[in-house]
Every structure is written in structure tokens, then in C-alpha cells.
Amino acid sequence: MATSTSGWTERGAGTRAIAEAEKPAPLDAAAVRRDFPILDQAVDGRPLVYLDNAASSQKPRQVVDAIGMYYLRDHANVHRGVHELARRATEAYESARERVAIWLNAAGPHELIWTRGASEALNLVAFSLGMARVGQGDEIVISEMEHHSNLVPWQLLAERNGATLRYVGLTDNGHLDLDHMATLLGRRTRIVSLPHVSNALGTINPVRDIAALVREHSGAVYILDGAQAAPHLPVDVQALGCDFYAFSGHKMCGPTGIGGLWGRRPLLEEMPPYQGGGEMIEHVYPDRSTWAEVPHKFEAGTPNIAGAVGLGAAVDYLDNVGLAAIHEHESALTRRAITLLAGVEGLRILGPAETEERAGVVPFVMEGVSAQDVATILDTQGIAVRAGHHCAQLVVDRYGVAATTRASFYLYNTLEEVDRLAEGVKTARRILYG
Ligand code: C6P
């Protein structure tokens, strides 16, 4: 199906501008919770408190229903058939792309490539654009704040092409050290790839200011890992000043196995395909092939159609609640969590200070005890958190700890749940300190 782009930018930009200008009405978490039946259950006799949202969010009924209805009514393969179901499936798949592209304020749906998630999106840029643009002696700038999905692909690329990885250091408060960053940028810098929000610290990075820094000091392509930002903050990819933006559906109320890579069209046009197969070609000859238009050039094989439909429904859901309201709500939960946890003796919270803005991620360590033990004791009280390095090994190394226990919030969490967390941590402390 050809997706119409006429009037597209105005529509997308207008919606976002209005949403940002208004002060959001407070979020009604009790009403939101009714859309998430999974939350209404007991674990070990205690009401479940789900605080592992940075790993994966829960799904509202509306998303599950959209996927169910798609399979029960409309499923066929896309872009291939002339029959009614093929038409409907293609329409559902491409309108989900348009929906999510508008949500990101892309210049058009062709700028959004469906991927399995943020990891695949980042691998796609590294092995398509990176292989073509990064050579011997070139430099790639990332940071000590990276999730491994925005680190290992660049390591692999650097090894293969003889490039050097440079790491932006972190301040004691969990921020990117921008003075250090300025010293790393130069004429050999081909790629700068950074997280919009840190999954291990909760830091919201000043990505617009960084865009200006990158442009001032280098001609690098600027990539943002938005896995922890897109679910929680209004994202306008054009205003951010980046060239690529990667995200995962399952962290933003959508299903697993779907996510996306937004990219500027001229760069996407320039990039070679990432994988070969059906649907990504224009013509195949015995000795060569020519490629389909973007974004299809990057979508080999039968795609995750139901996943795209579910992600479109998730974006509808988040837009209905309002991203600005979600962010305000999470900020209130985070402030309360930091205040309560800071009062627990021997407990250290990583990341920006209580008074600073940060995303709803609160990693902490209890002196002398293992982060896993704390998480296990919390689990016995029905509280789900994650413990470990959170696939961000350089972060825990930087702050001299082996692992952290991490609570992460989303739109359905409540202040009462934060209180349960704080009580649970105090109980863990009593048990572990004996
Ligand atoms: N972080 C966490 O518990 P995937 O797995 O492809 O959906 O997302 C990868 C990813 C990339 N960047 C950031 C900043 C992330 O936080 C994640 C996923 C989860 O923190 C699982 S390790």
C-alpha cells in the first residue's frame, strides 16, 4: 500500500506542538490500572507491585485486543497479495507505521523502519551505515552510560573496520561529562551514539545541546538510543537534532518483537541493505539485485505485522493518557522513592540527585549486601524489581559497584506502591544485616 504523505508533517508537528504547550492534567493511575488486568494479582499473598518497567512494561487491554482482532479478522501476508485479507493486513501494517511516525514527528512514514526492537535498530545503523562510512583510523564516540546494545555493535564495527571507540566519561552525579565529550570530537569522528535516557542511572541526557556540540566539533552522524525515553517522554525526532532514533515497543505498552529505527531520509537512501530476502528488492538478476524504496529496503522477509498493529495501538493508548502527564506522574513517584530510600541507613542511590530531573529509574546499592539478595527479598513481598548490571556493565564499574537493585516506574504505578518499595527495602535491610 502506498502511504500518503501529503500534509503529513503539518499534522504530526501540530499535534505535538499543542501537546507540549499545555500543562498536563494529572494522571489518574487508578483508572489507568483498570486497563492492565495483569497488575490485579497477588504474589505470595501480597498485591503485586510491578517496578521492573525499564526491562519491559505491561500491556493494556486495548493493545492485546488490537492484536487479537487483527489475528481473528484480518491476517494475511503484507505487500504481496491482491486479495481482501492481504489488503487489510497491509493497510493495518502501514497505518501503524504512519501512526508511530506521526507520534515521533518524523517527516513521513518512509523514515520509520520496523525492527525487532532497539537492539536490532542500533545493529542496523552500525552494520549498514557504519560499514559504509567508518574506515581505518576513524573514530566512534559513545559513552560509559551505554546499554550494551549501543556499545557492542560499535565495538564489532570498530574491530572489523579498524576504527577506534572513544568513551564519554560520567560525572559523579550520573551525567555525561560534556567537557570531556568536546575533547573527543574532531574531524575523525564519524559516529556519535548516545542514550536519550540511561536505563542504569535514570539520567535524561541533554540531547539537543549535545546535537549542537556534535555539529560544532565534527561532521559525525548522531544517533540516539531512545529505548528508555520513547515510553516516558514526548519525543520529537526533528526537534532533537539527531539523525537516527532507536526504540523498543515492549517498553512502551506494546508487544515484544517490534520496535523501530527512525532515520533522516537522505541517510536512509544512502545506506546499503542490512539483510537480504523477500520484499526488500526492486529487481533480482543472477549477478546482482536492485533495492526497494525506503523503508522496505531494510525490511527483508515477512515482518512482525501483528507487532506493528499492537505498537500502533500502544501509541494510541499513550497519546490518550498523554506523555507529558506520564512524565509528571513518574517524576512524582521518583521524587518520593528517592526521598524514602535516602532515609534508609547504608543505602546509596546512583544517578542524578533528588533535586534534579530524572526519568523513573531508581538504582540503589545497600552497603555490604548483594543487589540480587535485596531483589529476592523484595520478590517475597510481591515487589518486582531487577538486580544486576542491567546490561550496562561500564556504569556499575564507573561507580565501583558490582550490581544495583533497580526500581523503575511507569504510568500505572502509584505512590502507595513506592511506599511498599521503601518498606520492603527496610525489611530486606533488617533481614540481611541480621
Ligand atoms: N534494557 C533493561 O532492563 P531491546 O532489548 O532491544 O528491547 O532493548 C535494548 C536496550 C537498548 N537501550 C537501552 C537504553 C535499554 O535500556 C535497552 C533494554 C532493558 O534495562 C533490558 S536489558
Side-chain angles (χ1 to χ4, degrees):
M1 186 195 74
T3 46
S4 161
T5 55
S6 60
W8 202 91
T9 305
E10 297 86 277
R11 185 152 47 104
T15 316
R16 185 48 53 92
I18 292 162
E20 280 181 354
E22 287 167 3
K23 172 100 181 119
L27 182 154
D28 181 353
V32 167
R33 289 177 77 83
R34 287 196 282 279
D35 294 330
F36 292 81
I38 197 169
L39 298 174
D40 186 19
Q41 62 177 293
V43 172
D44 280 345
R46 308 282 307 272
L48 168 68
V49 175
Y50 186 78
L51 303 180
D52 195 17
N53 295 288
S56 198
S57 77
Q58 299 302 345
K59 322 301 169 198
R61 212 185 283 279
Q62 290 84 339
V63 167
V64 177
D65 287 350
I67 297 168
M69 288 311 286
Y70 165 74
Y71 274 129
L72 294 174
R73 231 177 27 194
D74 300 325
H75 174 69
N77 212 327
V78 290
H79 302 135
R80 289 158 168 85
V82 292
H83 57 81
E84 171 65 17
L85 291 190
R87 262 195 305 277
R88 277 195 232 153
T90 304
E91 163 69 23
Y93 179 67
E94 291 300 343
S95 22
R97 191 196 306 272
E98 177 153 358
R99 178 71 188 91
V100 177
I102 287 174
W103 188 68
L104 292 167
N105 196 28
H110 51 273
E111 290 190 339
L112 178 62
I113 302 161
W114 293 125
T115 63
R116 284 189 293 128
S119 301
E120 189 178 42
L122 293 162
N123 276 276
L124 194 165
V125 199
F127 292 104
S128 170
L129 177 112
M131 283 299 277
R133 279 211 178 192
V134 178
Q136 186 74 33
D138 286 340
E139 296 182 359
I140 299 166
V141 172
I142 57 173
S143 76
E144 290 178 352
M145 199 188 272
E146 302 317 321
H147 183 281
H148 298 160
S149 293
N150 195 33
L151 191 163
V152 181
W154 303 115
Q155 247 176 8
L156 293 171
L157 175 67
E159 264 169 36
R160 279 183 206 182
N161 288 12
T164 305
L165 264 186
R166 301 249 179 252
Y167 290 88
V168 180
L170 304 183
T171 66
D172 290 344
N173 246 7
H175 293 284
L176 294 172
D177 182 342
L178 298 186
D179 292 336
H180 181 230
M181 179 167 179
T183 67
L184 299 181
L185 297 170
R187 70 184 173 79
R188 296 315 307 250
T189 316
R190 292 283 174 271
I191 304 278
V192 174
S193 192
L194 297 169
H196 189 172
V197 167
S198 161
N199 70 316
L201 294 167
T203 319
I204 303 174
N205 288 316
V207 289
R208 285 187 204 209
D209 298 346
I210 294 173
L213 199 66
V214 172
R215 306 289 175 227
E216 190 189 334
H217 294 278
S218 76
V221 172
Y222 178 37
I223 301 154
L224 287 176
D225 171 0
Q228 297 293 346
H232 305 281
L233 304 172
V235 171
D236 177 337
V237 286
Q238 298 192 62
L240 290 180
C242 58
D243 297 307
F244 291 93
Y245 198 89
F247 61 99
S248 293
H250 70 97
K251 295 186 196 291
M252 46 188 272
C253 294
T256 52
I258 188 81
L261 176 70
W262 168 82
R264 292 189 189 276
R265 187 168 196 160
L267 289 169
L268 294 175
E269 303 276 7
E270 169 200 319
M271 285 158 58
Y274 166 60
Q275 293 175 331
E279 280 307 304
M280 48 72 72
I281 52 88
E282 178 194 53
H283 203 97
V284 172
Y285 306 93
D287 58 338
R288 71 192 167 88
S289 301
T290 56
W291 314 129
E293 297 283 311
V294 295
H296 306 291
K297 176 170 75 169
F298 298 106
E299 294 179 1
T302 300
N304 184 355
I305 310 162
V309 169
L311 184 50
V315 161
D316 280 341
Y317 186 85
L318 293 174
D319 248 356
N320 266 338
V321 180
L323 263 296
I326 292 171
H327 178 55
E328 289 262 317
H329 178 70
E330 292 172 3
S331 296
L333 300 175
T334 306
R335 278 194 298 274
R336 171 100 139 223
I338 292 179
T339 307
L340 294 177
L341 292 178
V344 179
E345 208 190 318
L347 190 140
R348 171 182 167 207
I349 299 168
L350 270 60
E354 183 196 341
T355 47
E356 295 178 88
E357 210 202 11
R358 62 191 280 168
V361 174
V362 182
F364 57 91
V365 281
M366 219 186 263
E367 210 183 314
V369 301
S370 109
Q372 278 79 5
D373 288 350
V374 176
T376 305
I377 294 173
L378 289 173
D379 178 49
T380 63
Q381 300 167 64
I383 303 166
V385 295
R386 185 175 169 189
H389 53 56
H390 314 292
C391 304
Q393 191 119 42
L394 299 192
V395 172
V396 288
D397 290 351
R398 163 65 178 82
Y399 295 103
V401 295
T404 67
T405 308
R406 181 187 71 183
S408 53
F409 307 118
Y410 209 11
L411 71 170
Y412 36 68
N413 292 124
T414 63
L415 291 169
E416 293 71 33
E417 289 184 315
V418 176
D419 295 348
R420 286 259 321 265
L421 169 71
E423 283 312 309
V425 168
K426 285 179 198 158
T427 306
R429 186 178 183 284
R430 273 195 301 276
I431 294 170
L432 293 167
Y433 283 3

